[in-house]
Amino acid sequence: MVDLESWKSQLRKGASELVILSLIGEQAASGTQLLDALAAAPEIGLSDGAMYPLLNRLEREGRIAGRWETPKSGGRGLKKYRLTADGQAALKKMQASWRLFRDDLDAALGERR
């Protein structure tokens, strides 16, 4: 019997970097803002326990850059992330690879776009 949750977890893990780079590529965002954006896509299922280690890794690798911003009303600051030039290049390559993979997978499953 297939362990569907384990299989879905592996799908999410493989796609999470692409999703985060894509969202940050549209607009600089904090981890909380990214989690809020992904709330509308529950099948992606990226939790805060997975989000922040991923953001830290992407920042260490130089694909994203974080900057602390303090709200005008005072209060707690947010670390907002943006893509670096390396991140933009990686995103373009990942998107192209994803499209090829998706097309091959669709063909293997008998689905045409």
Side-chain angles (χ1 to χ4, degrees), residues 4-82:
L4 189 58
E5 289 309 310
S6 176
W7 182 77
K8 287 168 58 175
S9 176
Q10 291 301 312
L11 285 175
R12 289 181 193 120
K13 191 181 293 186
S16 60
E17 185 173 334
L18 173 59
V19 169
I20 295 307
L21 292 177
S22 293
L23 289 172
I24 294 172
E26 292 174 9
Q27 176 178 328
S30 69
T32 302
Q33 290 169 323
L34 293 167
L35 287 168
D36 290 346
L38 290 171
E43 286 301 312
I44 292 174
L46 207 59
S47 68
D48 58 346
M51 173 71 71
Y52 292 101
L54 176 57
L55 289 171
N56 288 331
R57 179 176 61 79
L58 292 171
E59 190 171 23
R60 271 192 324 272
E61 292 173 352
R63 293 185 184 170
I64 63 174
R67 189 174 119 213
W68 284 97
E69 295 183 5
T70 305
K72 291 180 178 141
S73 61
R76 188 172 177 206
L78 289 175
K79 188 173 187 180
K80 289 215 174 174
Y81 298 92
R82 62 171 179 74

